[in-house]
Amino acid sequence: MGDNNSWVGLPPTKWKINVIIVQVVIAVFLCINLLQLLIFFRNEFFYTKMRYIFFANTLLCDSLFLIISNILLNLDYYQFTLHCSLCLIICIVVFPLFITTPITLTAMTLERFVAICMPLRHGELCTARNSLHCILIIYSISSIPLSVFFSTFFATAPRTVYTQHFLCSVEVFILHSWQGHLISAINQFYFLIITVTVILSYVKIVQVAKAATGEKMKSSWKGLRTVSLHAVQLVLSFTQMWCPFIEAAVLQIDFVLYINVRYANYVVFILGPRCLSPLIYGLRDEKFFMELKYTVGCGSRKKKCSHSPV
């Protein structure tokens, strides 16, 4: 959320409607995420399987991202400024979360690739221990843009910046245009690697699905649909990289249109991908959905459930 007067120029009613819509969407999906995390941690079956561990990691990252981005949205709406040091801490936390989810989705795609194309090695490669190692690698890779971005900021920022108060956003730490171009280049490199990985996995799974029969064919096509949905999430996530260029062009035309485009980009390309994960895995996965129905059913009947269906 960027400019100091980003909501100025919109009718007050429109302000409230836009903000209320975001609050409702975030509240709903945070509840869904928390429920699914509860299901994950209460059943040993889920936290011993790689795909569910990756799924839980995605839920945690997305929930944290939704909370922080919503705080920044409300601070921007109410024109509440923060001291540079506090804003810096918030941005250091939220910055890597932008790339963590796409990389985790790529890891989930590779897990499906191994399960379908290399079934005999799946049990050996996709263990809970290896899952934790992969998550450490994911966070390490996600921290590279963060390290580059804030290294350039600390190296070039005048001391007066550290005493200022401003509306908090990552953009306020871009003091030179080349900083934005550098981070954009890193993100596009990630996008290229992730795109190639997903496409190759998709092609291999298609080949296996066409040659399979019976239950293996059913499992292969289900895995293919999951990979396809991950690809949609990734496209939405990385489209955000081009949003600033679109918004800058629209700003030259009309300010109110710029605010509307900025809001639409926030909902579609920032909130959207993070709201798809619980729907793709939590509702489409048979075992997880059975546990979800069981948990909700027990809660609605106010009975203590002692035996899980999974």
Side-chain angles (χ1 to χ4, degrees):
M1 314 305 300
D3 303 326
N4 287 1
N5 297 306
S6 60
W7 295 92
V8 175
L10 285 180
T13 303
K14 178 124 184 173
W15 298 359
K16 294 179 181 178
I17 292 174
N18 287 348
V19 173
I20 289 172
I21 290 173
V22 171
Q23 305 311 303
V24 171
V25 171
I26 290 178
V28 168
F29 279 95
L30 279 177
C31 290
I32 294 173
N33 287 1
L34 291 175
L35 175 61
Q36 295 189 352
L37 283 170
L38 174 64
I39 291 170
F40 171 80
F41 285 110
R42 68 179 289 180
N43 194 311
E44 185 179 354
F45 174 83
F46 295 125
Y47 57 77
T48 57
K49 304 293 183 182
M50 176 176 276
R51 59 174 169 162
Y52 295 115
I53 294 173
F54 284 160
F55 174 52
N57 182 62
T58 302
L59 290 177
L60 285 170
C61 292
D62 288 349
S63 297
L64 184 58
F65 186 90
L66 289 173
I67 291 170
I68 297 178
S69 67
N70 190 44
I71 291 172
L72 294 179
L73 173 71
N74 282 279
L75 291 176
D76 191 32
Y77 172 67
Y78 288 108
Q79 298 288 289
F80 189 87
T81 60
L82 295 179
H83 188 270
C84 177
S85 58
L86 181 56
C87 181
L88 190 61
I89 293 172
I90 293 174
C91 290
I92 286 175
V93 173
V94 76
F95 195 91
L97 295 177
F98 166 73
I99 197 72
T100 300
T101 293
I103 295 176
T104 306
L105 290 174
T106 306
M108 293 170 77
T109 299
L110 290 174
E111 187 276 334
R112 287 293 82 198
F113 166 78
V114 173
I116 294 168
C117 301
M118 306 168 61
L120 298 179
R121 300 203 62 192
H122 183 260
E124 173 191 349
L125 296 175
C126 300
T127 62
R129 183 183 180 86
N130 287 342
S131 302
L132 298 178
H133 292 162
C134 288
I135 288 175
L136 288 176
I137 293 172
I138 288 169
Y139 282 112
S140 299
I141 295 174
S142 301
S143 299
I144 293 175
L146 168 73
S147 302
V148 172
F149 181 78
F150 283 105
S151 295
T152 59
F153 170 75
F154 291 132
T156 60
R159 291 187 178 181
T160 54
V161 172
Y162 298 104
T163 61
Q164 294 179 7
H165 288 72
F166 37 68
L167 289 178
C168 187
S169 71
V170 174
E171 287 87 346
V172 300
F173 297 105
I174 300 178
L175 304 180
H176 310 281
S177 59
W178 59 265
Q179 289 176 280
H181 296 321
L182 178 61
I183 297 303
S184 178
I186 294 174
N187 287 336
Q188 289 182 44
F189 174 73
Y190 279 12
F191 177 69
L192 176 63
I193 298 299
I194 288 173
T195 300
V196 171
T197 302
V198 172
I199 290 175
L200 291 177
S201 300
Y202 183 90
V203 170
K204 289 293 185 180
I205 293 173
V206 168
Q207 292 174 350
V208 172
K210 287 181 177 179
T213 58
E215 285 298 317
K216 186 176 181 181
M217 181 178 66
K218 181 180 177 182
S219 175
S220 298
W221 284 109
K222 185 177 179 180
L224 186 63
R225 288 193 294 271
T226 300
V227 171
S228 300
L229 291 170
H230 286 334
V232 172
Q233 279 184 281
L234 291 169
V235 169
L236 290 175
S237 295
F238 279 102
T239 301
Q240 184 190 358
M241 293 190 303
W242 290 281
C243 287
F245 301 106
I246 298 172
E247 292 166 6
V250 172
L251 181 60
Q252 304 300 318
I253 301 171
D254 182 78
F255 182 75
V256 174
L257 178 61
Y258 160 76
I259 298 302
N260 290 331
V261 169
R262 188 176 177 86
Y263 173 77
N265 287 340
Y266 175 73
V267 172
V268 176
F269 301 118
I270 297 180
L271 296 187
R274 277 126 188 122
C275 294
L276 285 176
S277 290
L279 302 179
I280 291 175
Y281 253 93
L283 299 183
R284 290 185 68 255
D285 185 88
E286 183 178 348
K287 290 184 174 63
F288 207 92
F289 185 64
M290 285 173 58
E291 186 70 14
L292 179 62
K293 284 203 310 183
Y294 179 76
T295 302
V296 173
C298 290
S300 63
R301 293 193 299 269
K302 298 182 179 179
K303 292 182 180 180
K304 184 177 180 180
C305 301
S306 57
H307 301 287
S308 169
V310 178

